[in-house]
Amino acid sequence: DAKTTQPTSMDCAEGRAANLPCNHSTISGNEYVYWYRQIHSQGPQYIIHGLKNNETNEMASLIITEDRKSSTLILPHATLRDTAVYYCIVRGPKTSYDKVIFGPGTSLSVIP
Amino acid sequence: NAGVTQTPKFRILKIGQSMTLQCAQDMNHNYMYWYRQDPGMGLKLIYYSVGAGITDKGEVPNGYNVSRSTTEDFPLRLELAAPSQTSVYFCASRAGTGIHGELFFGEGSRLTVL
């Protein structure tokens, strides 16, 4: 599976949009981008995933660049409860697609 | 549905003791996973299973064993516990085939080895 790179940490003001970037420059055509988040000490929670089109659900929006080498997770109106570690994962059938490997993620702090 | 249930939630072991962390899911998912998370660190995959009777190693399998005799249950066995196994253990499951399907996680089991 393609490797991902995320910033170690980010801050966001409460009520503002939080834009979390993920670089996956080696992604192949049949690999998906998945996002999860982990609120302190809890099990990770699925947020959203996409292949090449932008996606939106009740939690967030996922913007994937046209060349698919990077993506951005957008939390439109961040609240204090969005403070968490956010993981970007690329998954596809290239290698062992049954495994799900997490990277270090981005620690998002939403500031009052 | 209860989702993914892990027991126990907390446990303290002495060095050299053995124990089994239990994981059960009621969503009829084929895939199940065990991760460990050391303090301040990310998740590391220990073992995973793609269905009953089929298991495979993840990133950090040493010191652990698993079995998958039913679709619902995926216990993780620690033999000869060591301080390095002090961690939070998360079990997860997912539906789908191949790359599809999101993970559902349990609440975690916090293990301390002294």
Side-chain angles (χ1 to χ4, degrees), chain A residues 9-61:
Chain A
S9 63
M10 293 181 64
D11 293 338
C12 177
E14 188 178 17
R16 303 297 293 269
N19 297 287
L20 294 103
C22 180
N23 184 290
H24 32 78
S25 57
T26 61
I27 195 169
S28 63
N30 51 6
E31 290 185 307
Y32 284 72
V33 181
Y34 276 78
W35 283 84
Y36 289 83
R37 74 178 181 183
Q38 185 177 24
I39 296 171
H40 179 65
S41 298
Q42 298 179 20
Q45 173 191 25
Y46 164 80
I47 301 173
I48 199 167
H49 75 282
L51 180 62
K52 54 183 176 182
N53 297 322
N54 297 338
E55 302 287 344
T56 295
N57 62 20
E58 66 278 4
M59 291 183 66
S61 294

Side-chain angles (χ1 to χ4, degrees), chain B residues 15-33:
Chain B
I15 294 172
Q17 287 185 319
S18 299
M19 75 160 297
T20 299
L21 298 176
Q22 301 291 344
C23 177
Q25 52 93 8
D26 61 359
M27 298 173 282
N28 201 33
H29 287 170
N30 286 327
Y31 294 82
M32 295 188 75
Y33 302 81

